[in-house]
Amino acid sequence: MNDETLTRANPDVLHGFCARAFQAVGVPAADAALTADVILAASLRGVDSHGIIWLPRYIERIQWGMIRPDAHTRLVHESPTTALMDAGGGLGQPAGYRAMQEAIRKARQYGTGWVTVRNSNHYGIAGYYAMLALKHDMIGLSMTNADPSVLPTFGLARMLGTNPIAVAAPAGRERPFVLDMATSVVAVGKINLARRAGRPIPSGWATDESGAPSTDPDQVMEGRTQKRPGGVLPLGGIGEQLGGHKGYGLGLLVEILTGILSGSATADQTYPTRPDGTPLPADLGHFFGAIRLDGFGPVQDFKAAMDDLIGRLRNTPRIAGAERIYIAGEKEFEETERRATAGIPLSGALASELRALAEELGVTVDL
Amino acid sequence: MNDETLTRANPDVLHGFCARAFQAVGVPAADAALTADVILAASLRGVDSHGIIWLPRYIERIQWGMIRPDAHTRLVHESPTTALMDAGGGLGQPAGYRAMQEAIRKARQYGTGWVTVRNSNHYGIAGYYAMLALKHDMIGLSMTNADPSVLPTFGLARMLGTNPIAVAAPAGRERPFVLDMATSVVAVGKINLARRAGRPIPSGWATDESGAPSTDPDQVMEGRTQKRPGGVLPLGGIGEQLGGHKGYGLGLLVEILTGILSGSATADQTYPTRPDGTPLPADLGHFFGAIRLDGFGPVQDFKAAMDDLIGRLRNTPRIAGAERIYIAGEKEFEETERRATAGIPLSGALASELRALAEELGVTVDL
């Protein structure tokens, strides 16, 4: 984003706007508030690719009939520590929240809880759900599949989603460990950001139609829209030499735990349309887990050992020019603190889009 | 390995030899057989870095008093679906086997089971334990930490192990999905193989003392022995541009679930020695999981969907020159079939070392 055109929006103002916008298109108040929570968590954490920028898209998808605003998430099948839930083609966020709460409930009773969700839509940042476990002194886990963007090793067709894995683990006086990573080299949103900024992308993020590295974000994003060969690379990059088969394996693992275990689509069959081209619910799958720390030993011992390891990592020698050794999630916690007071940066174009959306829906927003 | 100097050894012969060798240094028969199973599984699957090459090292460590041959794995703490076990400084393989069986037992009763192990030693290939779940129609998971080899992003000190993650998931008519991957770009064993072959390593596997890429396997392995700065890179490589922070995050996740959750050491504090330099047990930690497929829905639906996805991946368009799209574990299953009949290749040096070991221990081996 260009600082000259930035608006800084108050997070509470944006939260209220999101909630009212969802209610205006038929989402019940509780679900609207939950969805606003997840969107604002992304915007506060600096994950702008999953933040307020998505509001117009979600609203549009509800208006198209692709996301059902009044869907109920229901329990389909369960064992003491496992469950399958059906999101009913509704918003992924309330479905994800309820599934994670169910995992936490089971963990409270039996030590761990594991819940898959089928028939869902885009659920925002994976890390939000994993972090819900933290205050219960549990490790939280969240995964989702997504639209097909990523190539299998040696392949030319986008068969996998960027398929994030998020795991949150408590610490004591230190901040929690929060890993929230696409299993691709990079999230699609970062390629989009480069495209909008007119910058080339680094070699190793994506390929052209022949499978050779591409540094042209236009080519990559247009190829995706036009369903041409090529796409985003799995973590580890092209081929096997630098471990691309590992990123591909991790991406496929996420498809198995989200799409297959839940009975949803896998990435290559998500986002179906009717014969006339009208979009149907995306049929995404999610996977959530909660693990009680005291199922293995004293909670305080775990937290003290986390603090110790984080301290040792932070004080480890660095390469020349590097200011810090980071722990997963640390940058996002610091950004959350900054944005909570300074506000959430919106480009001029996004601020205009949000004002237009407010007007269209007949709700207020003060940007 | 150089084909001209290869011996091909019968897997059963090697298995019997391993079991007798362990018994000769005081390992009870059942534990000796289990450890032989894990070693031979690696050798059959083509993972030579974790196979029979380790037998002399394990024996030596037992002789040093670093691995306790007659240790008992005991249950320390549990909830319905979780447990902490203590390996008593014994071989990692029988500890890992018993912990995975405990996870499976808990999963049978409650849907899932999760077991950490503390105070353990090197346990061989992670995938062996994950695959034990397959015949129960469960997804299996196994992780371990290891001696410090891997750099955190921007760091110069080896703070993490290569920290493998293994997950096995059943299919129907297709072979199971078996992901078994170091969270580093490459396993240390591959750098050792290049060193022995006198070949440079690819840029992006490891760094020199300044943190710059090194292609010299001697430099990397000697730096490791001499505890100089630099080391193996996390999956995703140097810095953050190609996702090195993701590999670092995954490696740290494994430390948390193995070293910290179990109350063992983390990589940087494993392999302690007495003040006089005598080695103590490595104090490694492991983590195991088992997930009943029918905790989420019909087993047959899961397997049919696995078969369908594997089929679609296999038939996906490929880059020029690529013969196949692989599924995680497929190469290893094929290698197992080949080696089960053709035998396990041993270099002349390794065959001699094994014959000398047999003589030293007074056991027979027919190589």
Side-chain angles (χ1 to χ4, degrees), chain B residues 307-329:
Chain B
D307 288 347
D308 285 352
L309 177 58
I310 290 169
R312 290 200 301 281
L313 281 165
R314 187 174 288 143
N315 292 316
T316 214
R318 296 183 297 279
I319 57 170
E323 278 177 30
R324 290 168 59 181
I325 304 288
Y326 290 95
I327 308 302

Side-chain angles (χ1 to χ4, degrees), chain B residues 222-236:
Chain B
E222 282 165 18
R224 190 161 173 267
T225 308
Q226 295 162 19
K227 301 191 188 301
R228 290 201 303 261
V232 181
L233 286 160
L235 179 60

Side-chain angles (χ1 to χ4, degrees), chain B residues 14-31:
Chain B
L14 284 183
H15 190 285
F17 171 50
C18 284
R20 287 191 299 276
F22 283 116
Q23 287 185 260
V25 292
V27 177
D31 288 10

